[in-house]
Coordinates of all heavy atoms in Angstrom, one line a residue:
M1 N 0.8 -1.2 0.0 CA 0.0 0.0 0.0 C 0.9 1.2 0.0 O 1.8 1.3 0.8 CB -0.9 0.0 1.2 CG -1.8 1.2 1.3 SD -3.4 0.9 2.0 CE -3.1 1.0 3.7
A2 N 0.6 2.2 -0.8 CA 1.4 3.4 -1.0 C 1.1 4.4 0.2 O 0.1 4.3 0.9 CB 1.0 4.1 -2.2
E3 N 2.1 5.2 0.5 CA 2.0 6.2 1.6 C 1.0 7.3 1.1 O 1.0 7.7 -0.1 CB 3.3 6.8 1.9 CG 3.3 7.7 3.1 CD 4.7 8.1 3.5 OE1 5.6 7.2 3.5 OE2 4.9 9.2 3.8
P4 N 0.1 7.8 2.0 CA -0.8 8.8 1.6 C -0.1 10.1 1.2 O 1.0 10.4 1.7 CB -1.6 9.1 2.9 CG -1.3 8.0 3.9 CD 0.0 7.4 3.4
E5 N -0.7 10.8 0.2 CA -0.2 12.1 -0.2 C -0.3 13.2 0.8 O 0.5 14.1 0.8 CB -0.9 12.5 -1.6 CG -0.7 11.5 -2.7 CD -1.8 11.6 -3.7 OE1 -2.2 12.7 -4.0 OE2 -2.2 10.5 -4.2
F6 N -1.3 13.1 1.6 CA -1.6 14.0 2.7 C -2.3 13.3 3.8 O -3.3 12.6 3.5 CB -2.4 15.3 2.2 CG -2.7 16.2 3.3 CD1 -1.9 17.2 3.7 CD2 -4.0 16.1 3.9 CE1 -2.2 18.1 4.7 CE2 -4.3 17.0 4.9 CZ -3.4 18.0 5.3
T7 N -1.9 13.6 5.0 CA -2.6 13.1 6.1 C -2.5 14.1 7.3 O -1.5 14.7 7.5 CB -2.2 11.7 6.6 OG1 -3.0 11.3 7.6 CG2 -0.7 11.7 7.1
A8 N -3.6 14.4 8.0 CA -3.6 15.2 9.1 C -4.5 14.6 10.2 O -5.6 14.1 9.9 CB -4.2 16.6 8.7
R9 N -3.9 14.5 11.4 CA -4.7 13.9 12.5 C -5.0 15.0 13.5 O -4.5 16.1 13.5 CB -3.8 12.9 13.2 CG -3.5 11.7 12.3 CD -2.4 10.8 12.9 NE -1.9 10.0 11.9 CZ -2.1 8.7 11.7 NH1 -2.9 8.1 12.6 NH2 -1.5 8.0 10.8
G10 N -6.0 14.7 14.4 CA -6.4 15.7 15.4 C -7.3 16.8 14.7 O -7.3 17.9 15.2
V11 N -7.9 16.4 13.6 CA -8.7 17.4 12.9 C -10.2 17.4 13.4 O -10.8 16.4 13.6 CB -8.8 17.1 11.4 CG1 -9.6 18.0 10.6 CG2 -7.3 17.0 10.9
R12 N -10.7 18.6 13.7 CA -12.1 18.7 14.1 C -12.9 18.7 12.8 O -12.7 19.6 11.9 CB -12.4 19.9 14.9 CG -13.8 20.1 15.2 CD -14.1 21.4 16.0 NE -15.6 21.4 16.1 CZ -16.2 22.0 17.1 NH1 -15.5 22.6 18.0 NH2 -17.5 22.1 17.1
I13 N -13.8 17.8 12.6 CA -14.7 17.7 11.4 C -16.1 18.0 11.9 O -16.6 17.3 12.7 CB -14.6 16.3 10.8 CG1 -13.1 16.0 10.4 CG2 -15.5 16.2 9.6 CD1 -12.9 14.6 9.9
A14 N -16.7 19.0 11.2 CA -18.1 19.4 11.6 C -18.9 19.5 10.3 O -18.4 19.9 9.3 CB -18.0 20.8 12.3
R15 N -20.1 19.0 10.5 CA -21.1 19.2 9.4 C -22.2 20.1 10.0 O -22.8 19.8 11.1 CB -21.7 17.9 9.1 CG -22.7 17.9 7.9 CD -23.2 16.5 7.5 NE -23.5 15.7 8.6 CZ -23.4 14.4 8.6 NH1 -22.9 13.7 7.6 NH2 -23.8 13.7 9.7
W16 N -22.4 21.3 9.5 CA -23.2 22.3 10.1 C -24.5 21.8 10.6 O -25.1 21.0 9.8 CB -23.5 23.4 9.1 CG -22.3 24.4 9.0 CD1 -22.1 25.5 9.8 CD2 -21.3 24.4 8.0 NE1 -21.0 26.1 9.4 CE2 -20.4 25.4 8.3 CE3 -20.9 23.5 7.0 CZ2 -19.3 25.7 7.6 CZ3 -19.8 23.8 6.3 CH2 -19.0 24.9 6.6
P17 N -24.9 22.1 11.8 CA -24.2 22.8 12.8 C -23.5 21.9 13.8 O -23.1 22.3 14.9 CB -25.3 23.5 13.6 CG -26.5 22.6 13.5 CD -26.3 21.9 12.1
R18 N -23.4 20.6 13.5 CA -23.0 19.6 14.4 C -21.5 19.1 14.2 O -21.1 18.9 13.1 CB -23.9 18.4 14.3 CG -23.8 17.3 15.2 CD -24.9 16.3 15.0 NE -24.3 15.0 15.2 CZ -24.2 14.0 14.5 NH1 -24.8 14.0 13.3 NH2 -23.7 12.8 14.8
S19 N -20.8 19.0 15.3 CA -19.5 18.5 15.3 C -19.5 16.9 15.2 O -20.2 16.3 16.0 CB -18.7 18.9 16.5 OG -17.4 18.3 16.5
L20 N -18.8 16.4 14.2 CA -18.8 14.9 14.0 C -17.7 14.3 14.9 O -17.8 13.2 15.4 CB -18.7 14.5 12.6 CG -19.8 15.0 11.7 CD1 -19.5 14.7 10.2 CD2 -21.1 14.4 12.1
T21 N -16.5 14.9 14.9 CA -15.4 14.4 15.7 C -14.4 15.6 16.0 O -14.3 16.5 15.2 CB -14.6 13.3 15.0 OG1 -13.6 12.8 15.8 CG2 -14.1 13.7 13.7
R22 N -13.8 15.5 17.1 CA -12.8 16.6 17.4 C -11.4 16.1 17.3 O -10.4 16.8 17.4 CB -13.0 17.0 18.9 CG -14.3 17.8 19.0 CD -14.3 18.5 20.3 NE -14.7 17.6 21.4 CZ -14.7 17.8 22.7 NH1 -14.3 19.0 23.1 NH2 -15.1 16.9 23.5
A23 N -11.2 14.8 16.9 CA -9.9 14.2 16.8 C -9.9 13.3 15.6 O -9.3 12.2 15.6 CB -9.5 13.5 18.0
G24 N -10.4 13.8 14.5 CA -10.5 13.0 13.2 C -9.2 13.0 12.4 O -8.2 13.6 12.8
E25 N -9.4 12.5 11.2 CA -8.2 12.4 10.3 C -8.7 12.7 8.9 O -9.8 12.3 8.5 CB -7.6 11.0 10.3 CG -6.4 10.9 9.5 CD -5.7 9.5 9.6 OE1 -6.1 8.7 10.5 OE2 -4.8 9.2 8.8
V26 N -7.9 13.5 8.2 CA -8.1 13.8 6.8 C -7.0 13.2 6.0 O -5.9 13.3 6.3 CB -8.2 15.3 6.5 CG1 -8.3 15.6 5.1 CG2 -9.3 16.0 7.3
R27 N -7.4 12.4 5.0 CA -6.4 11.6 4.3 C -6.6 11.7 2.7 O -7.8 11.6 2.3 CB -6.4 10.2 4.7 CG -5.3 9.3 4.0 CD -5.4 7.9 4.4 NE -5.0 7.8 5.8 CZ -5.0 6.7 6.5 NH1 -5.5 5.6 6.0 NH2 -4.7 6.7 7.8
I28 N -5.6 12.0 2.0 CA -5.6 12.0 0.5 C -4.7 10.8 0.1 O -3.5 10.9 0.4 CB -5.2 13.3 -0.1 CG1 -6.1 14.4 0.3 CG2 -5.2 13.2 -1.6 CD1 -5.7 15.8 -0.1
E29 N -5.3 9.8 -0.5 CA -4.6 8.6 -0.9 C -5.2 8.0 -2.1 O -6.4 7.9 -2.2 CB -4.6 7.6 0.3 CG -3.8 6.4 0.1 CD -3.8 5.6 1.4 OE1 -4.7 5.6 2.2 OE2 -2.8 4.8 1.5
D30 N -4.4 7.7 -3.1 CA -4.8 7.0 -4.3 C -5.9 7.8 -5.0 O -6.9 7.2 -5.5 CB -5.3 5.6 -4.0 CG -4.2 4.7 -3.5 OD1 -3.0 4.9 -3.9 OD2 -4.5 3.8 -2.7
G31 N -5.8 9.1 -5.0 CA -6.8 10.0 -5.7 C -8.1 10.1 -5.0 O -9.0 10.5 -5.6
R32 N -8.2 9.8 -3.8 CA -9.4 10.0 -3.0 C -9.1 10.7 -1.7 O -8.1 10.6 -1.1 CB -10.0 8.6 -2.6 CG -10.5 7.8 -3.8 CD -11.3 6.6 -3.3 NE -12.5 6.9 -2.6 CZ -13.7 7.1 -3.2 NH1 -13.7 7.2 -4.5 NH2 -14.8 7.3 -2.5
L33 N -10.1 11.6 -1.3 CA -10.1 12.3 -0.1 C -11.0 11.5 0.9 O -12.1 11.2 0.5 CB -10.7 13.7 -0.2 CG -10.9 14.4 1.1 CD1 -9.6 14.8 1.8 CD2 -11.8 15.6 0.9
A34 N -10.5 11.2 2.1 CA -11.3 10.5 3.1 C -11.3 11.2 4.3 O -10.2 11.7 4.8 CB -10.7 9.0 3.3
L35 N -12.5 11.3 5.0 CA -12.6 12.0 6.3 C -12.9 10.8 7.2 O -13.9 10.1 7.0 CB -13.8 13.0 6.3 CG -13.7 14.1 5.2 CD1 -15.0 14.9 5.3 CD2 -12.5 14.9 5.4
L36 N -12.1 10.7 8.2 CA -12.2 9.5 9.2 C -12.4 10.0 10.6 O -11.9 11.1 11.0 CB -10.9 8.7 9.1 CG -10.4 8.3 7.7 CD1 -9.0 7.7 7.8 CD2 -11.4 7.2 7.2
T37 N -13.1 9.2 11.4 CA -13.2 9.5 12.8 C -11.9 9.1 13.5 O -11.0 8.6 13.0 CB -14.4 8.7 13.4 OG1 -14.0 7.3 13.4 CG2 -15.7 8.9 12.7
S38 N -11.9 9.5 14.8 CA -10.7 9.1 15.6 C -10.5 7.6 15.8 O -9.4 7.2 16.0 CB -10.8 9.8 17.0 OG -12.0 9.3 17.6
Y39 N -11.5 6.9 15.5 CA -11.4 5.4 15.6 C -11.1 4.8 14.2 O -11.0 3.6 14.1 CB -12.7 4.8 16.1 CG -13.1 5.2 17.5 CD1 -14.1 6.0 17.7 CD2 -12.3 4.7 18.6 CE1 -14.4 6.5 19.0 CE2 -12.6 5.2 19.9 CZ -13.6 6.0 20.1 OH -13.9 6.4 21.4
G40 N -11.0 5.6 13.2 CA -10.7 5.1 11.8 C -11.9 4.8 11.0 O -11.7 4.4 9.8
S41 N -13.1 5.0 11.5 CA -14.3 4.8 10.7 C -14.5 5.9 9.7 O -14.2 7.1 9.9 CB -15.6 4.8 11.6 OG -15.4 3.7 12.5
E42 N -14.9 5.6 8.5 CA -15.0 6.6 7.4 C -16.3 7.4 7.6 O -17.4 6.8 7.8 CB -15.1 5.9 6.1 CG -15.0 6.8 4.9 CD -14.9 6.1 3.6 OE1 -13.9 5.6 3.3 OE2 -16.0 6.1 2.9
I43 N -16.2 8.7 7.6 CA -17.3 9.6 7.7 C -17.8 9.8 6.2 O -19.0 9.7 6.0 CB -16.9 11.0 8.3 CG1 -16.5 10.8 9.8 CG2 -18.0 12.0 8.2 CD1 -15.9 12.0 10.4
D44 N -16.9 10.1 5.3 CA -17.2 10.4 3.9 C -16.0 10.3 3.1 O -14.9 10.5 3.6 CB -17.9 11.7 3.8 CG -18.8 11.8 2.6 OD1 -18.8 10.9 1.7 OD2 -19.6 12.8 2.5
S45 N -16.1 10.0 1.8 CA -14.9 10.0 0.9 C -15.4 10.2 -0.5 O -16.6 9.9 -0.8 CB -14.1 8.7 1.0 OG -14.8 7.6 0.4
A46 N -14.5 10.7 -1.3 CA -14.9 10.9 -2.7 C -13.6 11.1 -3.5 O -12.5 11.4 -2.9 CB -15.7 12.2 -2.9
P47 N -13.6 10.9 -4.8 CA -12.4 11.2 -5.7 C -12.1 12.7 -5.5 O -13.0 13.6 -5.4 CB -12.9 10.9 -7.1 CG -14.1 10.0 -6.9 CD -14.7 10.4 -5.6
V48 N -10.8 13.0 -5.5 CA -10.4 14.4 -5.3 C -10.9 15.3 -6.4 O -11.1 16.5 -6.1 CB -8.8 14.5 -5.2 CG1 -8.3 13.9 -3.9 CG2 -8.1 14.0 -6.4
G49 N -11.1 14.8 -7.6 CA -11.7 15.6 -8.7 C -13.1 16.1 -8.4 O -13.5 17.1 -8.9
A50 N -13.8 15.4 -7.5 CA -15.2 15.7 -7.2 C -15.3 16.5 -5.9 O -16.5 16.9 -5.5 CB -16.0 14.5 -7.1
V51 N -14.2 16.8 -5.3 CA -14.2 17.5 -4.0 C -14.0 19.0 -4.3 O -13.1 19.4 -5.0 CB -13.1 17.0 -3.0 CG1 -13.1 17.8 -1.8 CG2 -13.5 15.6 -2.7
R52 N -14.8 19.9 -3.6 CA -14.5 21.3 -3.7 C -14.1 21.8 -2.3 O -14.7 21.4 -1.3 CB -15.8 22.1 -4.0 CG -16.2 21.9 -5.5 CD -17.5 22.7 -5.8 NE -17.6 24.0 -5.1 CZ -18.8 24.5 -4.7 NH1 -19.9 23.9 -4.9 NH2 -18.7 25.6 -4.1
A53 N -13.0 22.6 -2.3 CA -12.5 23.0 -0.9 C -11.9 24.4 -1.1 O -11.5 24.8 -2.1 CB -11.4 22.0 -0.5
G54 N -11.9 25.1 0.0 CA -11.4 26.4 0.1 C -11.4 26.9 1.5 O -11.8 26.2 2.4
R55 N -11.0 28.2 1.6 CA -11.1 28.8 2.9 C -11.8 30.1 2.8 O -11.4 31.1 2.2 CB -9.6 29.1 3.4 CG -9.6 29.3 5.0 CD -8.3 29.6 5.5 NE -7.8 31.0 5.3 CZ -8.3 32.1 5.9 NH1 -9.3 31.9 6.7 NH2 -7.9 33.3 5.6
P56 N -13.1 30.1 3.2 CA -13.9 31.3 3.1 C -13.4 32.5 3.9 O -12.6 32.3 4.9 CB -15.3 30.9 3.6 CG -15.2 29.5 3.9 CD -13.8 29.0 3.9
W57 N -13.8 33.7 3.6 CA -13.3 34.9 4.2 C -13.7 34.9 5.7 O -13.0 35.5 6.5 CB -13.8 36.1 3.5 CG -15.3 36.3 3.6 CD1 -16.2 35.8 2.7 CD2 -16.1 36.9 4.6 NE1 -17.5 36.1 3.1 CE2 -17.5 36.8 4.3 CE3 -15.8 37.6 5.8 CZ2 -18.5 37.3 5.1 CZ3 -16.8 38.1 6.6 CH2 -18.1 37.9 6.2
F58 N -14.8 34.2 6.1 CA -15.3 34.3 7.5 C -14.6 33.2 8.3 O -14.8 33.2 9.6 CB -16.8 34.2 7.5 CG -17.3 32.9 6.9 CD1 -17.3 31.7 7.6 CD2 -17.8 33.0 5.6 CE1 -17.8 30.6 7.0 CE2 -18.3 31.8 5.0 CZ -18.3 30.6 5.7
A59 N -13.9 32.3 7.8 CA -13.3 31.2 8.5 C -12.0 31.6 9.3 O -11.3 32.6 8.8 CB -13.0 30.0 7.6
K60 N -11.7 31.0 10.3 CA -10.4 31.2 11.0 C -9.3 30.7 10.2 O -9.5 30.0 9.2 CB -10.5 30.5 12.4 CG -11.5 31.0 13.3 CD -11.5 30.3 14.6 CE -12.6 30.7 15.5 NZ -12.7 29.9 16.7
S61 N -8.1 31.1 10.5 CA -7.0 30.8 9.6 C -6.6 29.3 9.6 O -6.0 28.9 8.7 CB -5.7 31.6 10.1 OG -5.4 31.2 11.4
D62 N -7.1 28.5 10.6 CA -6.8 27.1 10.6 C -7.9 26.3 10.1 O -7.9 25.1 10.2 CB -6.3 26.6 12.0 CG -7.4 26.8 13.1 OD1 -8.4 27.5 12.8 OD2 -7.2 26.3 14.2
E63 N -8.9 26.9 9.5 CA -10.1 26.2 9.0 C -10.2 26.2 7.5 O -9.7 27.1 6.8 CB -11.4 26.9 9.5 CG -11.6 26.7 11.0 CD -12.9 27.4 11.5 OE1 -13.5 28.2 10.7 OE2 -13.2 27.1 12.6
A64 N -10.8 25.1 7.0 CA -11.1 25.0 5.6 C -12.5 24.4 5.5 O -13.0 23.7 6.4 CB -10.1 24.1 4.9
V65 N -13.1 24.6 4.3 CA -14.4 24.0 4.1 C -14.3 23.2 2.9 O -13.7 23.5 1.8 CB -15.5 25.2 3.8 CG1 -16.8 24.6 3.4 CG2 -15.6 26.0 5.1
A66 N -14.8 21.9 3.0 CA -14.7 21.0 1.9 C -16.1 20.4 1.6 O -16.8 20.1 2.6 CB -13.8 19.8 2.2
T67 N -16.5 20.4 0.3 CA -17.8 19.8 -0.1 C -17.4 18.4 -0.7 O -16.8 18.3 -1.7 CB -18.5 20.7 -1.1 OG1 -18.7 21.9 -0.6 CG2 -19.8 20.1 -1.5
V68 N -17.9 17.4 0.0 CA -17.7 16.0 -0.3 C -19.0 15.3 -0.6 O -19.9 15.3 0.3 CB -16.9 15.2 0.8 CG1 -16.6 13.8 0.3 CG2 -15.6 16.0 1.1
N69 N -19.3 14.9 -1.8 CA -20.5 14.2 -2.2 C -21.7 15.1 -1.8 O -22.7 14.6 -1.3 CB -20.7 12.9 -1.4 CG -19.7 11.9 -1.9 OD1 -19.3 11.8 -3.1 ND2 -19.2 11.0 -1.0
G70 N -21.6 16.4 -2.0 CA -22.7 17.3 -1.8 C -22.9 17.8 -0.4 O -23.8 18.6 -0.1
T71 N -22.0 17.3 0.5 CA -22.1 17.6 2.0 C -21.0 18.5 2.3 O -19.8 18.2 2.0 CB -22.1 16.4 2.8 OG1 -23.2 15.5 2.4 CG2 -22.4 16.7 4.3
R72 N -21.3 19.7 3.0 CA -20.2 20.6 3.4 C -19.7 20.3 4.7 O -20.5 20.1 5.7 CB -20.8 22.1 3.4 CG -21.0 22.6 2.0 CD -21.4 24.0 1.9 NE -21.4 24.7 3.1 CZ -21.6 26.0 3.3 NH1 -21.8 26.7 2.2 NH2 -21.6 26.6 4.4
Y73 N -18.4 20.2 4.9 CA -17.7 19.9 6.1 C -16.8 21.1 6.5 O -16.1 21.6 5.6 CB -16.9 18.6 6.0 CG -17.8 17.4 5.8 CD1 -17.9 16.9 4.5 CD2 -18.4 16.7 6.9 CE1 -18.7 15.7 4.3 CE2 -19.1 15.6 6.6 CZ -19.3 15.1 5.4 OH -20.1 14.0 5.1
R74 N -16.8 21.4 7.7 CA -15.8 22.4 8.2 C -14.7 21.7 8.9 O -14.9 20.9 9.8 CB -16.5 23.4 9.2 CG -15.5 24.5 9.6 CD -16.1 25.5 10.5 NE -16.4 24.9 11.8 CZ -17.5 25.0 12.5 NH1 -18.4 25.8 12.0 NH2 -17.6 24.4 13.6
L75 N -13.5 21.9 8.4 CA -12.3 21.1 8.9 C -11.4 22.1 9.6 O -11.0 23.2 9.1 CB -11.5 20.5 7.7 CG -12.3 19.7 6.7 CD1 -11.4 19.3 5.6 CD2 -12.9 18.5 7.4
T76 N -11.1 21.8 10.9 CA -10.2 22.7 11.7 C -8.9 21.9 11.8 O -8.9 20.9 12.6 CB -10.8 23.0 13.0 OG1 -12.1 23.6 12.8 CG2 -9.9 24.0 13.7
L77 N -7.9 22.3 11.1 CA -6.7 21.6 11.0 C -5.7 22.2 12.0 O -5.0 23.2 11.6 CB -6.1 21.6 9.6 CG -7.0 20.9 8.6 CD1 -7.4 21.8 7.4 CD2 -6.4 19.6 8.1
H78 N -5.6 21.7 13.2 CA -4.7 22.3 14.1 C -3.3 22.0 13.8 O -2.9 20.8 13.7 CB -5.0 21.8 15.6 CG -6.4 22.2 16.0 ND1 -6.8 23.5 16.3 CD2 -7.5 21.4 16.1 CE1 -8.1 23.5 16.6 NE2 -8.5 22.2 16.5
E79 N -2.4 23.0 13.7 CA -1.0 22.8 13.5 C -0.3 23.4 14.6 O -0.9 23.8 15.6 CB -0.6 23.4 12.2 CG -0.9 22.5 11.0 CD 0.0 21.3 10.8 OE1 1.2 21.4 11.1 OE2 -0.5 20.2 10.4
D80 N 1.0 23.7 14.4 CA 1.8 24.3 15.5 C 1.5 25.8 15.6 O 2.2 26.5 16.3 CB 3.3 24.1 15.2 CG 3.7 24.5 13.9 OD1 2.9 25.1 13.2 OD2 4.8 24.3 13.5
G81 N 0.5 26.3 14.9 CA 0.2 27.7 15.0 C 0.9 28.6 13.9 O 0.7 29.8 13.9
G82 N 1.8 28.0 13.2 CA 2.5 28.7 12.2 C 1.7 29.2 11.0 O 0.6 28.6 10.7
V83 N 2.0 30.3 10.4 CA 1.3 30.8 9.2 C 2.3 30.8 8.1 O 3.4 31.3 8.2 CB 0.8 32.2 9.5 CG1 0.1 32.8 8.3 CG2 -0.2 32.2 10.7
D84 N 1.8 30.3 6.9 CA 2.7 30.3 5.7 C 2.7 31.6 5.1 O 2.0 32.6 5.4 CB 2.4 29.1 4.8 CG 1.0 29.2 4.2 OD1 0.4 30.2 4.3 OD2 0.6 28.2 3.6
D85 N 3.4 31.8 4.0 CA 3.5 33.1 3.3 C 2.3 33.5 2.5 O 2.2 34.6 2.1 CB 4.7 33.1 2.3 CG 4.7 32.0 1.3 OD1 3.8 31.1 1.4 OD2 5.6 32.0 0.4
T86 N 1.3 32.6 2.4 CA 0.0 33.0 1.8 C -1.0 33.5 2.8 O -2.1 33.9 2.4 CB -0.6 31.8 1.0 OG1 -0.9 30.8 1.9 CG2 0.3 31.3 -0.1
G87 N -0.6 33.5 4.1 CA -1.5 34.0 5.1 C -2.4 32.9 5.7 O -3.2 33.1 6.6
E88 N -2.3 31.7 5.1 CA -3.1 30.6 5.6 C -2.3 29.8 6.7 O -1.1 29.8 6.6 CB -3.5 29.7 4.5 CG -4.5 30.3 3.5 CD -4.9 29.3 2.4 OE1 -4.1 29.2 1.5 OE2 -5.9 28.8 2.6
S89 N -3.0 29.2 7.6 CA -2.2 28.3 8.5 C -1.5 27.2 7.8 O -2.0 26.8 6.7 CB -3.1 27.7 9.6 OG -3.9 26.7 9.1
A90 N -0.5 26.7 8.4 CA 0.3 25.6 7.7 C -0.6 24.4 7.4 O -0.5 23.8 6.4 CB 1.5 25.2 8.6
G91 N -1.5 24.1 8.3 CA -2.4 23.0 8.1 C -3.4 23.1 7.0 O -3.5 22.3 6.1
S92 N -4.1 24.2 7.0 CA -5.1 24.4 6.0 C -4.5 24.7 4.6 O -5.0 24.2 3.6 CB -6.1 25.5 6.3 OG -5.4 26.8 6.4
G93 N -3.4 25.4 4.6 CA -2.6 25.6 3.4 C -2.1 24.4 2.8 O -2.2 24.2 1.6
R94 N -1.5 23.5 3.6 CA -1.0 22.2 3.1 C -2.1 21.4 2.6 O -2.0 20.7 1.6 CB -0.3 21.5 4.3 CG 1.1 22.0 4.5 CD 1.8 21.2 5.7 NE 1.6 19.8 5.5 CZ 1.1 19.0 6.5 NH1 0.7 19.5 7.6 NH2 0.9 17.7 6.3
F95 N -3.2 21.3 3.3 CA -4.4 20.5 2.8 C -4.9 21.0 1.5 O -5.1 20.2 0.5 CB -5.5 20.6 3.9 CG -6.9 20.1 3.4 CD1 -7.0 18.8 3.0 CD2 -7.9 21.0 3.1 CE1 -8.2 18.3 2.6 CE2 -9.1 20.5 2.6 CZ -9.3 19.2 2.3
L96 N -5.1 22.3 1.3 CA -5.6 22.8 0.0 C -4.6 22.6 -1.1 O -5.0 22.2 -2.2 CB -6.0 24.3 0.2 CG -7.1 24.6 1.1 CD1 -7.2 26.1 1.4 CD2 -8.4 24.0 0.7
A97 N -3.3 22.8 -0.8 CA -2.3 22.5 -1.8 C -2.3 21.1 -2.2 O -2.1 20.7 -3.4 CB -0.9 23.0 -1.3
A98 N -2.3 20.2 -1.2 CA -2.3 18.7 -1.5 C -3.5 18.3 -2.3 O -3.4 17.5 -3.2 CB -2.2 17.9 -0.2
L99 N -4.6 18.9 -2.0 CA -5.9 18.5 -2.8 C -5.7 19.0 -4.2 O -6.1 18.2 -5.1 CB -7.0 19.2 -2.1 CG -8.4 18.7 -2.6 CD1 -8.6 17.3 -2.3 CD2 -9.5 19.6 -1.9
E100 N -5.2 20.2 -4.4 CA -5.0 20.6 -5.8 C -4.0 19.8 -6.6 O -4.2 19.5 -7.8 CB -4.6 22.1 -5.8 CG -5.7 23.1 -5.5 CD -5.3 24.5 -5.6 OE1 -4.3 24.8 -6.2 OE2 -6.1 25.3 -5.1
R101 N -2.9 19.4 -5.9 CA -1.9 18.6 -6.5 C -2.5 17.2 -6.9 O -2.2 16.7 -8.0 CB -0.7 18.3 -5.6 CG 0.5 19.2 -5.8 CD 1.7 18.8 -5.1 NE 1.5 18.2 -3.7 CZ 1.4 18.9 -2.6 NH1 1.5 20.2 -2.7 NH2 1.2 18.3 -1.5
A102 N -3.2 16.6 -6.0 CA -3.8 15.3 -6.2 C -4.8 15.3 -7.4 O -5.0 14.3 -8.1 CB -4.4 14.8 -5.0
A103 N -5.5 16.5 -7.5 CA -6.5 16.6 -8.6 C -5.9 17.0 -9.9 O -6.6 17.0 -10.9 CB -7.6 17.5 -8.2
G104 N -4.6 17.4 -9.9 CA -3.9 17.8 -11.1 C -4.3 19.3 -11.5 O -4.3 19.6 -12.7
R105 N -4.7 20.1 -10.6 CA -5.1 21.4 -10.9 C -4.1 22.4 -10.5 O -4.3 23.5 -10.0 CB -6.3 21.8 -10.0 CG -7.6 21.0 -10.3 CD -8.7 21.6 -9.5 NE -9.4 20.4 -8.8 CZ -9.9 20.5 -7.7 NH1 -9.9 21.5 -6.9 NH2 -10.5 19.4 -7.2
R106 N -2.9 22.2 -10.9 CA -1.8 23.1 -10.6 C -1.9 24.4 -11.3 O -2.0 25.2 -11.8 CB -0.4 22.5 -10.9 CG 0.0 21.7 -9.8 CD 1.5 21.6 -9.9 NE 1.9 21.0 -8.6 CZ 3.0 21.4 -8.0 NH1 3.8 22.2 -8.5 NH2 3.3 20.8 -6.9

Protein backbone atom coordinates (compact mmCIF):
# COMPACT_ATOMS: atom_id res chain seq x y z
CA MET A 1 0.00 0.00 0.00
CA ALA A 2 1.36 3.43 -0.95
CA GLU A 3 1.95 6.17 1.56
CA PRO A 4 -0.81 8.84 1.65
CA GLU A 5 -0.15 12.06 -0.26
CA PHE A 6 -1.55 14.04 2.67
CA THR A 7 -2.64 13.11 6.15
CA ALA A 8 -3.65 15.26 9.11
CA ARG A 9 -4.67 13.93 12.51
CA GLY A 10 -6.42 15.68 15.35
CA VAL A 11 -8.75 17.42 12.89
CA ARG A 12 -12.11 18.70 14.06
CA ILE A 13 -14.67 17.69 11.43
CA ALA A 14 -18.05 19.40 11.59
CA ARG A 15 -21.14 19.21 9.42
CA TRP A 16 -23.19 22.31 10.08
CA PRO A 17 -24.19 22.80 12.85
CA ARG A 18 -22.98 19.57 14.45
CA SER A 19 -19.44 18.46 15.27
CA LEU A 20 -18.79 14.90 14.07
CA THR A 21 -15.38 14.43 15.71
CA ARG A 22 -12.79 16.55 17.45
CA ALA A 23 -9.87 14.23 16.76
CA GLY A 24 -10.52 12.99 13.23
CA GLU A 25 -8.24 12.40 10.31
CA VAL A 26 -8.15 13.82 6.79
CA ARG A 27 -6.35 11.64 4.26
CA ILE A 28 -5.64 11.98 0.55
CA GLU A 29 -4.57 8.63 -0.86
CA ASP A 30 -4.81 7.01 -4.30
CA GLY A 31 -6.75 9.95 -5.73
CA ARG A 32 -9.41 9.95 -2.98
CA LEU A 33 -10.11 12.26 -0.07
CA ALA A 34 -11.28 10.44 3.05
CA LEU A 35 -12.63 11.95 6.26
CA LEU A 36 -12.18 9.55 9.17
CA THR A 37 -13.24 9.50 12.82
CA SER A 38 -10.71 9.14 15.62
CA TYR A 39 -11.44 5.39 15.57
CA GLY A 40 -10.68 5.12 11.83
CA SER A 41 -14.31 4.78 10.67
CA GLU A 42 -15.04 6.57 7.43
CA ILE A 43 -17.31 9.62 7.66
CA ASP A 44 -17.23 10.36 3.93
CA SER A 45 -14.93 9.97 0.93
CA ALA A 46 -14.85 10.93 -2.73
CA PRO A 47 -12.42 11.19 -5.65
CA VAL A 48 -10.37 14.38 -5.31
CA GLY A 49 -11.67 15.65 -8.65
CA ALA A 50 -15.20 15.74 -7.21
CA VAL A 51 -14.23 17.56 -4.00
CA ARG A 52 -14.54 21.34 -3.69
CA ALA A 53 -12.46 22.97 -0.96
CA GLY A 54 -11.37 26.40 0.10
CA ARG A 55 -11.04 28.83 2.94
CA PRO A 56 -13.92 31.32 3.10
CA TRP A 57 -13.31 34.87 4.24
CA PHE A 58 -15.25 34.31 7.47
CA ALA A 59 -13.31 31.20 8.53
CA LYS A 60 -10.46 31.22 11.03
CA SER A 61 -6.96 30.80 9.66
CA ASP A 62 -6.76 27.11 10.61
CA GLU A 63 -10.12 26.20 9.01
CA ALA A 64 -11.08 24.98 5.58
CA VAL A 65 -14.43 24.05 4.08
CA ALA A 66 -14.72 20.97 1.88
CA THR A 67 -17.76 19.78 -0.07
CA VAL A 68 -17.67 15.99 -0.34
CA ASN A 69 -20.53 14.21 -2.15
CA GLY A 70 -22.69 17.33 -1.82
CA THR A 71 -22.16 17.65 1.95
CA ARG A 72 -20.24 20.62 3.37
CA TYR A 73 -17.75 19.91 6.12
CA ARG A 74 -15.82 22.43 8.19
CA LEU A 75 -12.31 21.13 8.87
CA THR A 76 -10.23 22.66 11.65
CA LEU A 77 -6.65 21.57 11.00
CA HIS A 78 -4.70 22.32 14.16
CA GLU A 79 -1.01 22.77 13.49
CA ASP A 80 1.79 24.33 15.50
CA GLY A 81 0.18 27.74 14.96
CA GLY A 82 2.53 28.74 12.17
CA VAL A 83 1.31 30.79 9.22
CA ASP A 84 2.73 30.29 5.74
CA ASP A 85 3.53 33.08 3.28
CA THR A 86 0.01 33.01 1.76
CA GLY A 87 -1.53 33.96 5.11
CA GLU A 88 -3.12 30.57 5.65
CA SER A 89 -2.21 28.33 8.53
CA ALA A 90 0.28 25.65 7.70
CA GLY A 91 -2.39 22.94 8.14
CA SER A 92 -5.14 24.41 5.98
CA GLY A 93 -2.65 25.65 3.39
CA ARG A 94 -1.00 22.23 3.14
CA PHE A 95 -4.41 20.55 2.84
CA LEU A 96 -5.60 22.83 0.03
CA ALA A 97 -2.29 22.54 -1.84
CA ALA A 98 -2.27 18.73 -1.52
CA LEU A 99 -5.85 18.54 -2.76
CA GLU A 100 -5.03 20.64 -5.82
CA ARG A 101 -1.89 18.58 -6.54
CA ALA A 102 -3.79 15.30 -6.25
CA ALA A 103 -6.52 16.58 -8.58
CA GLY A 104 -3.93 17.84 -11.07
CA ARG A 105 -5.14 21.44 -10.85
CA ARG A 106 -1.76 23.13 -10.56
